Amino acid sequence: MKFIIDNWMLILLAAASGGMLLWQTLQKTQGGAIGCAEAVRLLNREKAVLVDVCEPAEFAAGHAGGARNIPLGSLAGSKDLPSNKALPVVVMCASGARASRAAGALRKAGYERAVAVAGGLAAWREAGLPVEKSA
């Protein structure tokens, strides 16, 4: 008991750091957003499908190279989604907010490996990754 009283700050620090590690682990298992480097790894090594959930006008103004445009409103039941639900689905939008909602909806629909790109197209551009424009 004397040890706890004498070292309460160290014990509090250890509990706080353990809590933060646990929080990060829980965020990852709940399908938290991934960075651009992880998205590229999924696309290149695991044949992931890149889906942009922006509206068609936003998509035409600029989108990640090779992305499929499926607006968030028409995502449910879209024929453009892969039929193999085991494939990773990387979801992107302009900022990452709609992509997070879309990834959650896709996971509920059975796409267990659906993830959003943190920061969306802005982060993609900042990372120097290819951006295309539609005519």
Side-chain angles (χ1 to χ4, degrees):
M1 189 66 167
K2 182 175 180 344
F3 177 80
I4 294 173
I5 293 171
D6 291 343
N7 297 298
W8 68 271
M9 289 185 76
L10 291 175
I11 294 170
L12 181 64
L13 181 66
S17 65
M20 286 187 274
L21 289 172
L22 181 62
W23 178 257
Q24 285 181 334
T25 303
L26 290 175
Q27 289 294 86
K28 286 181 184 175
T29 59
Q30 291 176 356
I34 60 171
C36 292
E38 179 65 13
V40 170
R41 188 193 70 75
L42 286 171
L43 292 166
N44 290 338
R45 293 196 180 151
E46 297 190 35
K47 307 291 188 234
V49 176
L50 181 59
V51 175
D52 191 315
V53 294
C54 289
E55 294 302 316
E58 292 176 284
F59 184 79
H63 57 272
R68 299 179 187 182
N69 182 222
I70 307 173
L72 181 59
S74 61
L75 192 63
S78 174
K79 301 291 183 203
D80 291 329
L81 289 170
S83 57
N84 181 0
K85 292 187 176 186
L87 280 175
V89 179
V90 177
V91 187
M92 178 180 283
C93 69
S95 66
R98 285 178 285 183
S100 293
R101 286 186 288 166
L106 287 171
R107 282 191 298 275
K108 286 181 183 176
Y111 293 91
E112 294 177 9
R113 298 183 66 195
V115 291
V117 176
L121 187 62
W124 190 266
R125 278 189 172 122
E126 193 174 303
L129 296 167
V131 175
E132 299 174 347
K133 291 184 180 183
S134 300

